[in-house]
Amino acid sequence: MNRILVIPFFLLWQGVSAQSIPPVKLVNYVKPFIGTSAVDTTSLSGSNFPGPTTPFAFVQLSPDTRDAPDDPASGYDYNDKTIVGFSHTHLSGTGVADLFDVLLMPTTGEVKLNPGNAKISRSGYRSAFSHGQETARPGYYQVMLQDYGINAELTSASHTGMHRYTFPASTQSHIVIDMDHSLDKKRGYWECRIIAGEIKVINNHTIEGYRIITGWARLRKVYFHAEFSKPFDSVVMANGKQKPYATTLLNGTALKAALNFSTTDHEQVTVKVALSSVSIENAKQNMMAEIPGWDFDKISSQNADEWEKELSKIIIEGTQEQKEIFYTGLYHAFTQPNNIADINGDYQATDMTIRNAPDKVQYSTFSLWDTYRAAHPLYTLIQPEKTAGFINTMIRQYETYGYLPIWQLWGDENYCMIGNHAIPVITDAILKGIPGIDVEKAYQAVKASSTTDHPGSPFTAWEKYGYIPEDIESQSVSITVEMAYDDWCVAQLAKKLGKTADYERFIKRSAFYKNLYNAKTGFFQARNKDGNWLTPFDPLSYGGNGGSPYTEANAWQYSWYVPQNIPDLIKLMGGDRSFTAKLDTFFTLANKPGDINGNASGFIGQYAHGNEPSHHIAYLYDYAGQPWKTQYYVSKVLNELYNNSSSGYAGNEDCGQMSAWYIFSSMGFYPVNPANGIYAIGSPILKSASMTLSNDKIFSMSVKNIGKQNIYIQSVKLNGKLYNKTYITQDDIMNGSNLEFTMGAKPNKSWGTKAEDQPPLWGYKN
């Protein structure tokens, strides 16, 4: 008897429908408003901007909500109610402001380039807006400017921004070009002033100009070439407080121009603005290469496609919120460093000469005190070509400036932070075998940057005293422990290259942190050059960026910074039991009123996730036989100190570091020592993840019994075999391994607790 298989129609339809539904694009999970505000007025903002940019691009076109941006440093605060205009360069997640170049703003009615008696120098052309009429996604930003009834849309290519303004009917429509807009000129860390500028009308649809400005970066030259889809009827310009007047050329230090149109209802005017740090001609070439036409939607789509390609290097499964935090984190991590070289390879070098990069890339925005910890190790796994470009850029800075970058912006060294953290970035990349790096030249740069005194790095005193005395250099404790780590990295690179004498010199220096450990107090503590401890001593007292032995932290937070030799740190503190007991106190000790300064936020006891000195500390229980406590605190940070709102970060996002911590930790591991090939295991929160590596292999992780309550590891399998170690290695990742976690609601105190299970000093076979 033949049986006919009857499939219910609704099931057949569901199957066909499911197969025909395309997968959700990863760019749909990116929410650029994450990190654009603070939780409250006492907290740090993520300091991210919502406008469009392409990966590692020169141009970041975004709205500014402040006339003189200062805090947040991105220029945009989600809590603000008005927009000043749309400038073409921004910093993502930093604690200090700069850039904000070439601001455009469309208006209607009477335009006021100089508002006269307006309070607090408020611009005469700002507009109210609401988040209900605002959109942001990769490659696109839109907002309705309510004061003018103008819909503003933005997109961008690498060196070129594109604006599309939909005007109402008006005989008084304008586009303002503000070349005076900058970080606050009256206050801030560095004096900001415009040295020279120019706006020039080429014809009735083309404007060009430049400005030379000093600020956080000591000297920046910004050239622009702008084209308009609709010819403008007339132009008025003003310099400073002078009355605007009709002209086709104006030079000065506070330049503004208003381009005047008549528009019909819903008429669209498109503007293209290309930038260069070298010349107006190069800006024009950048535009012709990137956006020769006027198809706004095409450019926006191309921008999103670039992001989709970059985001697809890690595919995850998790909740909607987790996906939004994760992929927005990747987006923020890939927003910088920025390629400041023009499409022909020209760039402004640190010696202010114009040079040419043969690979057409010269990166800047190196926030290395932040990003060496996790962002750069992430780049080595999924951005190896970019990593080589970063390092070749650093070597070029050494060749023109004498030192590797400390904090480099617009090709200029600003010495904002401490340490010499280009060194671990270079060491890590070379030890991992990243191609495209001249290893000998890199070592010359590393050694020179570790032996010649330069601001913040007094190596003569370093080798004379075996520590940095506070009466020679402020922030001495932080500098001592961080330079000791950098020296360990130099030693490992010297060892790899067979430079034995150098290895011995730098490995000795890498232990100088011991000379500031006060066994009586149990803290790393400042000493003067006479050897006496600095008194009085309060481990809860915060330092900022000078005037204290500690950098943006206190003695509690800097107690744990010996990533190159955690076993020795444990020994200094009296062994595993004393070490973990002090960690317990660290995570539970509350601050006293008045202890905290403006650099600290995201607290769990003394742990401050909102700033980088704390970022590795939750993983230290792995090294002392209590990994379940690492699991507890890592999961607490993941679940409580990140979210998908505008206040989604516990502090400044810092050019990808805050995001990189989440990206690694959500997958279950983190590089406590960023250059030894070891990743400590924490508490994964993703259901699964697969990472496409530089060797085209795929490393994957998965979790059984996933859930917010199931934060403790019950067992782990590596490539299908039970695995009790509290770490994985670089080789494990690059071999394309599979890491499988089984989680539960109670600690398994027999997993990973033996001495042989703890992370070793070294993760490479050689």
Side-chain angles (χ1 to χ4, degrees):
M1 179 179 174
N2 294 326
R3 298 182 178 179
I4 300 174
L5 181 63
V6 179
I7 302 176
F9 176 77
F10 77 90
L11 290 178
L12 181 63
W13 180 87
Q14 283 184 334
V16 172
S17 177
Q19 291 178 7
S20 64
I21 297 174
V24 176
K25 286 191 173 184
L26 301 181
V27 289
N28 292 341
Y29 295 116
V30 176
K31 306 300 177 185
F33 290 120
I34 293 177
T36 57
S37 73
V39 176
D40 54 49
T41 57
T42 63
S43 300
L44 294 172
S45 170
S47 200
N48 298 105
F49 60 83
T53 187
T54 56
F56 306 102
F58 186 46
V59 161
Q60 307 88 30
L61 176 57
S62 192
D64 293 336
T65 59
R66 309 285 175 92
D67 290 284
D70 181 20
D71 183 19
S74 64
Y76 178 95
D77 191 326
Y78 193 84
N79 298 315
D80 288 342
K81 306 300 182 184
T82 59
I83 284 174
V84 177
F86 310 101
S87 62
H88 289 76
T89 56
H90 293 83
L91 291 168
S92 178
T94 58
V96 180
D98 206 350
L99 308 183
F100 313 112
D101 298 301
V102 191
L103 180 138
L104 269 62
M105 182 64 170
T107 71
T108 58
E110 181 184 0
V111 62
K112 297 180 180 178
L113 296 184
N114 297 309
N117 294 325
K119 295 180 180 180
I120 321 176
S121 69
R122 292 171 66 85
S123 71
Y125 42 82
R126 67 168 56 241
S127 173
F129 76 106
S130 75
H131 298 306
Q133 294 179 300
E134 185 185 34
T135 305
R137 60 178 183 264
Y140 182 78
Y141 174 85
Q142 169 275 328
V143 68
M144 175 60 70
L145 299 173
Q146 296 174 338
D147 287 6
Y148 309 118
I150 297 173
N151 189 53
E153 299 170 280
L154 311 176
T155 189
S156 68
S158 183
H159 299 78
T160 311
M162 198 171 194
H163 311 237
R164 183 166 66 187
Y165 302 138
T166 303
F167 284 89
S170 176
T171 59
Q172 288 185 308
S173 292
H174 319 278
I175 296 177
V176 173
I177 301 176
D178 188 342
M179 297 294 286
D180 187 39
H181 181 68
S182 71
L183 73 148
D184 197 329
K185 299 182 182 71
K186 297 180 180 178
R187 62 190 180 97
Y189 290 99
W190 290 270
E191 178 188 3
C192 174
R193 62 187 178 91
I194 297 170
I195 299 170
E198 178 181 279
I199 300 177
K200 183 178 182 180
V201 178
I202 305 302
N203 51 48
N204 66 356
H205 60 271
T206 308
I207 300 284
E208 294 177 343
Y210 68 86
R211 75 174 180 182
I212 303 172
I213 184 170
T214 180
W216 191 12
R218 292 170 300 174
L219 185 69
R220 295 193 305 113
K221 298 179 180 180
V222 187
Y223 300 90
F224 79 91
H225 172 85
E227 297 183 5
F228 299 78
S229 64
K230 177 183 176 69
F232 39 85
D233 300 327
S234 62
V235 181
V236 295
M237 301 186 196
N239 179 41
K241 296 181 180 180
Q242 71 180 187
K243 183 178 179 179
Y245 64 99
T247 182
T248 58
L249 173 67
L250 191 62
N251 291 276
T253 58
L255 300 177
K256 298 179 184 179
L259 285 59
N260 306 314
F261 306 83
S262 291
T263 56
T264 59
D265 194 30
H266 292 96
E267 182 174 0
Q268 291 185 336
V269 178
T270 304
V271 188
K272 300 183 293 184
V273 181
L275 300 188
S276 168
S277 64
V278 173
S279 68
I280 290 174
E281 180 58 32
N282 275 18
K284 185 176 180 180
Q285 290 180 19
N286 291 340
M287 180 184 292
M288 291 303 297
E290 294 175 349
I291 310 182
W294 293 95
D295 192 335
F296 180 97
D297 295 326
K298 178 182 177 181
I299 298 303
S300 179
S301 179
Q302 289 175 347
N303 184 313
D305 288 345
E306 287 188 53
W307 280 111
E308 186 72 18
K309 179 181 177 182
E310 297 300 329
L311 298 176
S312 66
K313 293 177 178 178
I314 306 180
I315 304 298
I316 69 168
E317 284 298 323
T319 67
Q320 179 76 14
E321 181 181 24
Q322 288 168 351
K323 288 181 179 180
E324 290 178 359
I325 297 170
F326 188 96
Y327 284 112
T328 304
L330 269 185
Y331 177 84
H332 286 149
F334 295 167
T335 297
Q336 67 290 298
N338 309 114
N339 180 18
I340 63 172
D342 294 322
I343 55 101
N344 63 4
D346 289 349
Y347 68 94
Q348 179 183 291
T350 50
D351 60 0
M352 302 303 168
T353 61
I354 303 304
R355 303 197 176 211
N356 188 272
D359 51 2
K360 306 297 189 264
V361 292
Q362 178 73 5
Y363 290 99
S364 191
T365 319
F366 286 115
S367 183
L368 289 164
W369 185 78
D370 309 293
T371 57
Y372 85 95
R373 304 168 195 263
H376 279 282
L378 179 66
Y379 299 145
T380 64
L381 295 174
I382 55 178
Q383 296 285 0
E385 292 182 1
K386 295 291 190 302
T387 294
F390 301 156
I391 291 170
N392 289 332
T393 291
M394 294 175 186
I395 293 172
R396 291 181 193 128
Q397 170 166 324
Y398 159 70
E399 291 174 334
T400 59
Y401 198 70
Y403 318 115
L404 290 166
I406 305 297
W407 213 122
Q408 191 215 72
L409 177 61
W410 205 271
D412 178 64
E413 180 57 61
N414 63 37
Y415 290 108
C416 175
M417 298 303 293
I418 63 168
N420 296 272
H421 298 319
I423 292 170
V425 172
I426 293 172
T427 299
D428 182 43
I430 292 174
L431 293 177
K432 288 175 177 174
I434 299 294
I437 302 168
D438 186 327
V439 175
E440 279 294 337
K441 188 178 289 186
Y443 182 74
Q444 292 172 15
V446 163
K447 183 177 179 180
S449 298
S450 303
T451 53
T452 306
D453 287 355
H454 54 282
S457 299
F459 292 112
T460 302
W462 182 235
E463 293 197 289
K464 177 179 179 180
Y465 296 100
Y467 60 93
I468 299 299
E470 180 68 15
D471 51 353
I472 288 179
E473 186 74 38
S474 184
Q475 307 176 73
S476 61
V477 174
S478 296
I479 294 173
T480 293
V481 297
E482 292 194 23
M483 286 196 348
Y485 173 68
D486 293 336
D487 282 346
W488 180 89
C489 293
V490 182
Q492 304 313 312
L493 196 52
K495 184 177 182 180
K496 180 177 178 63
L497 299 177
K499 302 178 186 296
T500 303
D502 283 352
Y503 170 79
E504 296 296 338
R505 177 185 182 184
F506 287 104
I507 203 67
K508 177 183 177 181
R509 285 176 24 171
S510 74
F512 281 177
Y513 62 87
K514 297 180 183 181
N515 298 327
L516 288 189
Y517 185 76
N518 186 342
K520 292 183 179 180
T521 63
F523 291 95
F524 290 115
Q525 197 172 326
R527 305 172 85 162
N528 287 325
K529 58 180 178 284
D530 61 10
N532 292 322
W533 300 110
L534 200 66
T535 57
F537 172 66
D538 178 2
L540 292 173
S541 177
Y542 273 81
N545 299 97
S548 165
Y550 305 98
T551 302
E552 298 187 3
N554 63 21
W556 270 106
Q557 289 145 14
Y558 263 103
S559 289
W560 316 100
Y561 196 79
V562 188
Q564 71 273 28
N565 197 342
I566 295 170
D568 188 65
L569 177 63
I570 293 172
K571 183 179 178 181
L572 279 177
M573 292 187 177
D576 287 353
R577 187 171 296 180
S578 296
F579 183 78
T580 54
K582 187 165 185 174
L583 274 173
D584 292 344
T585 303
F586 173 76
F587 280 103
T588 55
L589 179 63
N591 290 290
K592 297 182 296 185
D595 283 338
I596 304 170
N597 72 5
N599 293 298
S601 58
F603 282 97
I604 304 172
Q606 287 303 300
Y607 179 90
H609 193 70
N611 210 4
E612 280 64 31
S614 289
H615 274 194
H616 68 294
I617 301 174
Y619 285 90
L620 295 183
Y621 287 106
D622 278 354
Y623 296 76
Q626 295 185 1
W628 66 90
K629 292 182 180 177
T630 281
Q631 296 154 33
Y632 174 82
Y633 285 114
V634 167
S635 66
K636 189 173 180 67
V637 174
L638 286 166
N639 289 312
E640 297 180 11
L641 297 180
Y642 290 85
N643 64 68
N644 59 352
S645 75
S646 63
S647 56
Y649 294 110
N652 298 149
E653 199 273 337
D654 285 320
C655 293
Q657 170 58 27
M658 195 76 74
S659 294
W661 191 97
Y662 184 93
I663 291 163
F664 273 121
S665 296
S666 66
M667 294 190 293
F669 51 93
Y670 182 82
V672 171
N673 177 339
N676 73 342
I678 294 288
Y679 301 82
I681 287 176
S683 177
I685 61 171
L686 300 176
K687 186 176 181 180
S688 67
S690 60
M691 187 187 324
T692 301
L693 304 167
S694 57
N695 59 5
D696 294 327
K697 292 184 179 181
I698 294 177
F699 172 83
S700 61
M701 58 77 62
S702 59
V703 178
K704 292 182 178 180
N705 300 336
I706 195 74
K708 276 199 172 183
Q709 303 304 315
N710 295 338
I711 65 174
Y712 295 108
I713 292 173
Q714 305 303 298
S715 65
V716 177
K717 289 183 179 179
L718 183 64
N719 298 326
K721 297 181 180 179
L722 285 174
Y723 187 80
N724 287 323
K725 298 184 185 301
T726 59
Y727 66 94
I728 57 173
T729 68
Q730 178 72 12
D731 288 340
D732 291 331
I733 293 176
M734 297 307 295
N735 288 337
S737 299
N738 173 258
L739 191 64
E740 182 182 313
F741 298 89
T742 299
M743 307 299 289
K746 295 182 178 180
N748 176 2
K749 295 186 179 181
S750 64
W751 181 85
T753 58
K754 297 180 180 179
E756 60 265 29
D757 298 331
Q758 296 166 12
L761 293 176
W762 190 244
Y764 295 103
K765 292 180 179 178
N766 57 324

